[in-house]
PDB file of all heavy atoms in Angstrom:
ATOM      1  N   GLU A 180      50.169   7.786 -44.394  1.00 94.00           N
ATOM      2  CA  GLU A 180      50.668   8.991 -45.063  1.00 94.00           C
ATOM      3  C   GLU A 180      51.328   8.677 -46.405  1.00 94.00           C
ATOM      4  O   GLU A 180      51.342   9.506 -47.317  1.00 94.00           O
ATOM      5  CB  GLU A 180      51.670   9.709 -44.148  1.00 94.00           C
ATOM      6  CG  GLU A 180      52.033  11.070 -44.704  1.00 94.00           C
ATOM      7  CD  GLU A 180      52.587  12.007 -43.667  1.00 94.00           C
ATOM      8  OE1 GLU A 180      52.908  11.534 -42.556  1.00 94.00           O
ATOM      9  OE2 GLU A 180      52.698  13.209 -43.978  1.00 94.00           O
ATOM     10  N   ASP A 181      51.868   7.467 -46.527  1.00 94.00           N
ATOM     11  CA  ASP A 181      52.551   7.136 -47.793  1.00 94.00           C
ATOM     12  C   ASP A 181      51.625   6.430 -48.794  1.00 94.00           C
ATOM     13  O   ASP A 181      52.070   5.854 -49.774  1.00 94.00           O
ATOM     14  CB  ASP A 181      53.791   6.271 -47.529  1.00 94.00           C
ATOM     15  CG  ASP A 181      53.437   4.976 -46.808  1.00 94.00           C
ATOM     16  OD1 ASP A 181      52.241   4.784 -46.492  1.00 94.00           O
ATOM     17  OD2 ASP A 181      54.350   4.170 -46.546  1.00 94.00           O
ATOM     18  N   HIS A 182      50.326   6.496 -48.527  1.00 93.00           N
ATOM     19  CA  HIS A 182      49.357   5.897 -49.453  1.00 93.00           C
ATOM     20  C   HIS A 182      49.392   6.629 -50.786  1.00 93.00           C
ATOM     21  O   HIS A 182      49.641   7.841 -50.825  1.00 93.00           O
ATOM     22  CB  HIS A 182      47.961   5.992 -48.842  1.00 93.00           C
ATOM     23  CG  HIS A 182      46.916   5.229 -49.583  1.00 93.00           C
ATOM     24  ND1 HIS A 182      46.330   5.706 -50.723  1.00 93.00           N
ATOM     25  CD2 HIS A 182      46.386   4.007 -49.364  1.00 93.00           C
ATOM     26  CE1 HIS A 182      45.463   4.820 -51.160  1.00 93.00           C
ATOM     27  NE2 HIS A 182      45.480   3.764 -50.351  1.00 93.00           N
ATOM     28  N   GLN A 183      49.112   5.927 -51.874  1.00 92.00           N
ATOM     29  CA  GLN A 183      49.219   6.556 -53.206  1.00 92.00           C
ATOM     30  C   GLN A 183      48.288   7.764 -53.377  1.00 92.00           C
ATOM     31  O   GLN A 183      48.576   8.651 -54.183  1.00 92.00           O
ATOM     32  CB  GLN A 183      48.951   5.524 -54.311  1.00 92.00           C
ATOM     33  CG  GLN A 183      47.597   4.855 -54.221  1.00 92.00           C
ATOM     34  CD  GLN A 183      47.236   4.077 -55.481  1.00 92.00           C
ATOM     35  OE1 GLN A 183      47.647   4.435 -56.578  1.00 92.00           O
ATOM     36  NE2 GLN A 183      46.463   3.011 -55.321  1.00 92.00           N
ATOM     37  N   PHE A 184      47.167   7.816 -52.636  1.00 92.00           N
ATOM     38  CA  PHE A 184      46.245   8.947 -52.802  1.00 92.00           C
ATOM     39  C   PHE A 184      46.328   9.977 -51.667  1.00 92.00           C
ATOM     40  O   PHE A 184      45.591  10.955 -51.681  1.00 92.00           O
ATOM     41  CB  PHE A 184      44.799   8.440 -52.901  1.00 92.00           C
ATOM     42  CG  PHE A 184      44.530   7.669 -54.160  1.00 92.00           C
ATOM     43  CD1 PHE A 184      43.969   6.402 -54.110  1.00 92.00           C
ATOM     44  CD2 PHE A 184      44.836   8.219 -55.398  1.00 92.00           C
ATOM     45  CE1 PHE A 184      43.728   5.681 -55.276  1.00 92.00           C
ATOM     46  CE2 PHE A 184      44.598   7.508 -56.567  1.00 92.00           C
ATOM     47  CZ  PHE A 184      44.040   6.239 -56.507  1.00 92.00           C
ATOM     48  N   SER A 185      47.201   9.749 -50.686  1.00 93.00           N
ATOM     49  CA  SER A 185      47.190  10.645 -49.523  1.00 93.00           C
ATOM     50  C   SER A 185      47.531  12.087 -49.900  1.00 93.00           C
ATOM     51  O   SER A 185      46.891  13.028 -49.418  1.00 93.00           O
ATOM     52  CB  SER A 185      48.123  10.125 -48.431  1.00 93.00           C
ATOM     53  OG  SER A 185      49.424  10.063 -48.930  1.00 93.00           O
ATOM     54  N   ALA A 186      48.512  12.287 -50.770  1.00 94.00           N
ATOM     55  CA  ALA A 186      48.921  13.656 -51.135  1.00 94.00           C
ATOM     56  C   ALA A 186      47.784  14.377 -51.870  1.00 94.00           C
ATOM     57  O   ALA A 186      47.516  15.552 -51.612  1.00 94.00           O
ATOM     58  CB  ALA A 186      50.175  13.612 -51.998  1.00 94.00           C
ATOM     59  N   ALA A 187      47.114  13.647 -52.779  1.00 91.00           N
ATOM     60  CA  ALA A 187      46.028  14.258 -53.552  1.00 91.00           C
ATOM     61  C   ALA A 187      44.860  14.627 -52.635  1.00 91.00           C
ATOM     62  O   ALA A 187      44.285  15.722 -52.739  1.00 91.00           O
ATOM     63  CB  ALA A 187      45.562  13.291 -54.639  1.00 91.00           C
ATOM     64  N   ILE A 188      44.532  13.726 -51.704  1.00 93.00           N
ATOM     65  CA  ILE A 188      43.426  13.999 -50.785  1.00 93.00           C
ATOM     66  C   ILE A 188      43.776  15.189 -49.886  1.00 93.00           C
ATOM     67  O   ILE A 188      42.972  16.095 -49.671  1.00 93.00           O
ATOM     68  CB  ILE A 188      43.083  12.744 -49.954  1.00 93.00           C
ATOM     69  CG1 ILE A 188      42.446  11.691 -50.876  1.00 93.00           C
ATOM     70  CG2 ILE A 188      42.142  13.069 -48.798  1.00 93.00           C
ATOM     71  CD1 ILE A 188      42.054  10.398 -50.209  1.00 93.00           C
ATOM     72  N   LYS A 189      45.021  15.214 -49.412  1.00 95.00           N
ATOM     73  CA  LYS A 189      45.464  16.309 -48.540  1.00 95.00           C
ATOM     74  C   LYS A 189      45.330  17.654 -49.261  1.00 95.00           C
ATOM     75  O   LYS A 189      44.842  18.631 -48.705  1.00 95.00           O
ATOM     76  CB  LYS A 189      46.920  16.045 -48.164  1.00 95.00           C
ATOM     77  CG  LYS A 189      47.448  16.937 -47.077  1.00 95.00           C
ATOM     78  CD  LYS A 189      48.847  16.465 -46.693  1.00 95.00           C
ATOM     79  CE  LYS A 189      49.474  17.403 -45.694  1.00 95.00           C
ATOM     80  NZ  LYS A 189      50.794  16.979 -45.287  1.00 95.00           N
ATOM     81  N   GLU A 190      45.751  17.682 -50.508  1.00 91.00           N
ATOM     82  CA  GLU A 190      45.680  18.927 -51.281  1.00 91.00           C
ATOM     83  C   GLU A 190      44.226  19.368 -51.480  1.00 91.00           C
ATOM     84  O   GLU A 190      43.892  20.544 -51.346  1.00 91.00           O
ATOM     85  CB  GLU A 190      46.358  18.724 -52.633  1.00 91.00           C
ATOM     86  CG  GLU A 190      46.742  20.043 -53.257  1.00 91.00           C
ATOM     87  CD  GLU A 190      47.177  19.891 -54.687  1.00 91.00           C
ATOM     88  OE1 GLU A 190      47.975  18.979 -54.967  1.00 91.00           O
ATOM     89  OE2 GLU A 190      46.684  20.684 -55.522  1.00 91.00           O
ATOM     90  N   GLU A 191      43.379  18.389 -51.759  1.00 89.00           N
ATOM     91  CA  GLU A 191      41.961  18.741 -51.963  1.00 89.00           C
ATOM     92  C   GLU A 191      41.309  19.231 -50.687  1.00 89.00           C
ATOM     93  O   GLU A 191      40.478  20.147 -50.708  1.00 89.00           O
ATOM     94  CB  GLU A 191      41.204  17.524 -52.492  1.00 89.00           C
ATOM     95  CG  GLU A 191      40.866  17.709 -53.956  1.00 89.00           C
ATOM     96  CD  GLU A 191      39.766  16.777 -54.360  1.00 89.00           C
ATOM     97  OE1 GLU A 191      38.614  17.038 -53.986  1.00 89.00           O
ATOM     98  OE2 GLU A 191      40.078  15.781 -55.032  1.00 89.00           O
ATOM     99  N   VAL A 192      41.686  18.614 -49.570  1.00 94.00           N
ATOM    100  CA  VAL A 192      41.138  19.058 -48.285  1.00 94.00           C
ATOM    101  C   VAL A 192      41.572  20.501 -48.034  1.00 94.00           C
ATOM    102  O   VAL A 192      40.772  21.358 -47.674  1.00 94.00           O
ATOM    103  CB  VAL A 192      41.622  18.127 -47.144  1.00 94.00           C
ATOM    104  CG1 VAL A 192      41.300  18.720 -45.784  1.00 94.00           C
ATOM    105  CG2 VAL A 192      40.983  16.745 -47.281  1.00 94.00           C
ATOM    106  N   ARG A 193      42.845  20.785 -48.263  1.00 93.00           N
ATOM    107  CA  ARG A 193      43.350  22.155 -48.095  1.00 93.00           C
ATOM    108  C   ARG A 193      42.570  23.140 -48.941  1.00 93.00           C
ATOM    109  O   ARG A 193      42.164  24.201 -48.481  1.00 93.00           O
ATOM    110  CB  ARG A 193      44.811  22.221 -48.555  1.00 93.00           C
ATOM    111  CG  ARG A 193      45.741  22.044 -47.459  1.00 93.00           C
ATOM    112  CD  ARG A 193      47.176  22.388 -47.799  1.00 93.00           C
ATOM    113  NE  ARG A 193      48.018  21.785 -46.812  1.00 93.00           N
ATOM    114  CZ  ARG A 193      48.073  22.148 -45.541  1.00 93.00           C
ATOM    115  NH1 ARG A 193      47.358  23.168 -45.125  1.00 93.00           N
ATOM    116  NH2 ARG A 193      48.823  21.510 -44.682  1.00 93.00           N
ATOM    117  N   GLU A 194      42.374  22.754 -50.215  1.00 88.00           N
ATOM    118  CA  GLU A 194      41.650  23.622 -51.152  1.00 88.00           C
ATOM    119  C   GLU A 194      40.247  23.954 -50.652  1.00 88.00           C
ATOM    120  O   GLU A 194      39.732  25.032 -50.874  1.00 88.00           O
ATOM    121  CB  GLU A 194      41.527  22.919 -52.501  1.00 88.00           C
ATOM    122  CG  GLU A 194      42.297  23.602 -53.594  1.00 88.00           C
ATOM    123  CD  GLU A 194      42.232  22.802 -54.869  1.00 88.00           C
ATOM    124  OE1 GLU A 194      41.137  22.414 -55.293  1.00 88.00           O
ATOM    125  OE2 GLU A 194      43.308  22.538 -55.435  1.00 88.00           O
TER     126      GLU A 194
END
Side-chain angles (χ1 to χ4, degrees):
E180 189 159 12
D181 58 358
H182 189 280
Q183 58 167 329
F184 292 127
S185 61
I188 290 180
K189 191 174 175 179
E190 200 191 314
E191 253 199 74
V192 169
R193 266 192 198 292
E194 246 175 50

